[in-house]
Amino acid sequence: MADLNNLISPFFLNDKEIRKVIELLFFSYRDFTSGPDKILEKLNFGRAHHRVIYFVGKKKNITIKELLGVLKITKQSLSRVLNQLVNERFIIVSTGIDKRTKKLSLTQKGEDLENQLSTIQIDKIKKVINKFSEENINGFKEILYDMIETDNKKIFQQIND
Amino acid sequence: MADLNNLISPFFLNDKEIRKVIELLFFSYRDFTSGPDKILEKLNFGRAHHRVIYFVGKKKNITIKELLGVLKITKQSLSRVLNQLVNERFIIVSTGIDKRTKKLSLTQKGEDLENQLSTIQIDKIKKVINKFSEENINGFKEILYDMIETDNKKIFQQIND
DNA sequence: TTATTTAGGTCAGCCATATTGACTTAATTA
DNA sequence: TAATTAAGTCAATATGGCTGACCTAAATAA
């Protein structure tokens, strides 16, 4: 049955080729995050700090709850990371109209770091993108989007208004 | 200057669009690993165990050194994970022709688990792939490959002979 | 043949990132 | 007024990494 499945599958989606996709995702994702990791290390930050900085930069005045919804971690986990970023003046907190909520924004220092980190990844993507057609790039994005679970697709849409 | 850059850049690679790619990679990769994670949890294993099982399954008789080269972790880190997998009979160790080396392989139990984990990811990719053209899929793979650093491209080639 | 290198292992301690559970405060809403 | 919500905190635990130091056995080079 599995063999039959392989026979009727076009080459580009037989199991052997699909396993390559698994590996490509693993290696490419690892290399994609390694650049920022090096910069963060000097500041004694980790990838968790990067994610917070990224999404606070993306959505100004994001609340704790919204941020937790994007990151899908517990507030206890966020707490340590966020407190460090606030204490070291990368992020500034203000109170929302609903006084229970807090709004997070990057300071200038935070924006500078965000820029430094994102530039590495943006440049990496630009370099790659220049070698491919618009069709390829759009296909790439659509495939990635398709791989996201429904709930997270909504979150992706939300942070992109 | 940045504005000019945006103006002369085609829409599909301006910074705003590229940031979406960053997010797509983040969300899709997270969802891609979440399925196996749930199964591993029941066995008190983590993603590190998955990676070991995956690459031992991929390359039968892989040595410790080769495995470390793929995973890019220290032997101390591998040690704990690998010992658990050996103790619980998912992986079997034998001595190489060079008697300093050890060769790792999956047991039947290990293969069963490997299959269970990989099937989730393979099915996920199959589902996605069926919605796209062969050109899109090949483009997707080529872009991912292009995002990998030179050294790791070599490793990718090695494990795929 | 001796010296060096290589493959692998181990002990100890440390750090980052995550978890669960219990509990608190303050503000909003029903 | 009661219930819910947003946020915070304390404590304990797990996982997955790291560095450094040190060891054994086997292969290779001088």
Side-chain angles (χ1 to χ4, degrees):
Chain A
M1 280 186 293
D3 288 329
L4 183 64
N5 223 320
N6 276 346
L7 286 173
I8 59 165
S9 293
F11 180 68
F12 69 99
L13 50 64
N14 70 21
D15 281 17
K16 207 177 168 188
E17 288 302 306
I18 290 178
R19 278 180 181 272
K20 287 188 190 171
V21 177
I22 294 178
E23 294 149 28
L24 288 170
L25 282 166
F26 170 66
F27 289 120
S28 64
Y29 193 78
R30 193 174 61 178
D31 283 346
F32 187 62
T33 51
S34 66
D37 284 353
K38 282 170 204 153
I39 292 170
L40 292 157
E41 212 186 344
K42 293 175 202 157
L43 300 166
N44 284 314
F45 289 160
R47 208 171 291 170
H49 300 83
H50 187 187
R51 290 196 279 259
V52 170
I53 285 175
Y54 183 88
F55 288 111
V56 171
K58 179 82 183 190
K59 200 164 178 66
K60 259 209 155 103
N61 290 326
I62 193 171
T63 64
I64 304 283
K65 199 200 172 186
E66 286 168 337
L67 188 53
L68 288 173
V70 175
L71 298 175
K72 294 254 194 291
I73 54 172
T74 58
K75 60 182 170 178
Q76 295 92 324
S77 294
L78 176 59
S79 162
R80 182 187 52 88
V81 169
L82 183 56
N83 284 333
Q84 281 176 289
L85 290 168
V86 170
N87 288 337
E88 300 187 32
R89 316 267 176 236
F90 291 92
I91 285 179
I92 193 162
V93 186
S94 60
T95 304
I97 304 167
D98 178 339
K99 283 176 193 165
R100 290 171 306 179
T101 66
K102 287 188 175 175
K103 298 187 297 179
L104 308 172
S105 312
L106 297 181
T107 60
Q108 187 58 52
K109 192 182 175 192
E111 271 192 39
D112 290 348
L113 178 57
E114 200 288 329
N115 229 282
Q116 209 190 338
L117 298 170
S118 289
T119 297
I120 295 171
Q121 296 191 320
I122 289 172
D123 285 354
K124 190 158 204 166
I125 296 173
K126 272 184 185 165
K127 248 187 209 167
V128 171
I129 265 175
N130 275 312
K131 301 186 196 164
F132 293 86
S133 68
E134 183 163 0
E135 283 68 35
N136 280 155
I137 304 305
N138 287 335
F140 180 69
K141 285 195 201 173
E142 282 161 27
I143 290 170
L144 288 179
Y145 181 69
D146 218 275
M147 288 176 64
I148 302 175
E149 301 292 334
T150 313
D151 288 359
N152 291 324
K153 274 182 183 151
K154 280 178 200 159
I155 290 172
F156 173 78
Q157 299 297 355
Q158 274 167 34
I159 62 169
N160 281 293
D161 305 313
Chain B
M1 280 186 293
D3 288 331
L4 183 63
N5 223 320
N6 276 346
L7 285 173
I8 59 166
S9 294
F11 179 68
F12 70 98
L13 51 61
N14 70 22
D15 282 16
K16 206 177 169 187
E17 288 302 305
I18 290 178
R19 278 180 182 272
K20 287 188 190 171
V21 177
I22 294 178
E23 294 150 27
L24 289 170
L25 282 165
F26 170 66
F27 289 120
S28 64
Y29 193 78
R30 194 174 60 179
D31 283 345
F32 187 62
T33 51
S34 66
D37 283 354
K38 282 169 204 155
I39 291 171
L40 292 158
E41 213 185 345
K42 293 175 203 159
L43 300 165
N44 284 314
F45 289 160
R47 208 171 291 172
H49 300 83
H50 188 188
R51 291 196 278 258
V52 170
I53 285 176
Y54 183 89
F55 287 112
V56 171
K58 178 81 184 190
K59 201 166 176 63
K60 261 211 152 103
N61 290 325
I62 193 171
T63 64
I64 304 282
K65 198 199 174 187
E66 286 167 337
L67 188 54
L68 288 174
V70 175
L71 297 176
K72 294 252 195 296
I73 55 172
T74 59
K75 60 180 171 179
Q76 295 93 323
S77 295
L78 176 59
S79 162
R80 183 183 53 86
V81 169
L82 183 56
N83 284 332
Q84 281 176 287
L85 290 168
V86 171
N87 288 337
E88 300 187 31
R89 314 269 178 235
F90 290 93
I91 285 179
I92 193 161
V93 186
S94 60
T95 305
I97 303 168
D98 179 339
K99 284 177 194 163
R100 291 172 304 178
T101 65
K102 287 188 176 174
K103 298 187 295 179
L104 308 173
S105 310
L106 296 182
T107 60
Q108 187 58 51
K109 191 182 174 192
E111 271 191 40
D112 290 347
L113 178 58
E114 201 288 328
N115 230 283
Q116 208 190 339
L117 298 172
S118 289
T119 297
I120 295 171
Q121 296 190 320
I122 289 172
D123 285 354
K124 190 158 202 164
I125 295 173
K126 272 185 185 165
K127 247 187 211 169
V128 170
I129 265 177
N130 276 311
K131 301 187 196 162
F132 293 87
S133 70
E134 183 163 1
E135 284 67 35
N136 280 155
I137 304 306
N138 287 333
F140 180 69
K141 285 194 200 172
E142 282 161 26
I143 291 171
L144 288 178
Y145 181 69
D146 218 276
M147 286 176 64
I148 301 174
E149 301 292 334
T150 313
D151 289 358
N152 291 324
K153 274 181 184 152
K154 282 177 199 158
I155 289 172
F156 173 77
Q157 299 295 355
Q158 275 167 33
I159 62 168
N160 282 291
D161 305 314

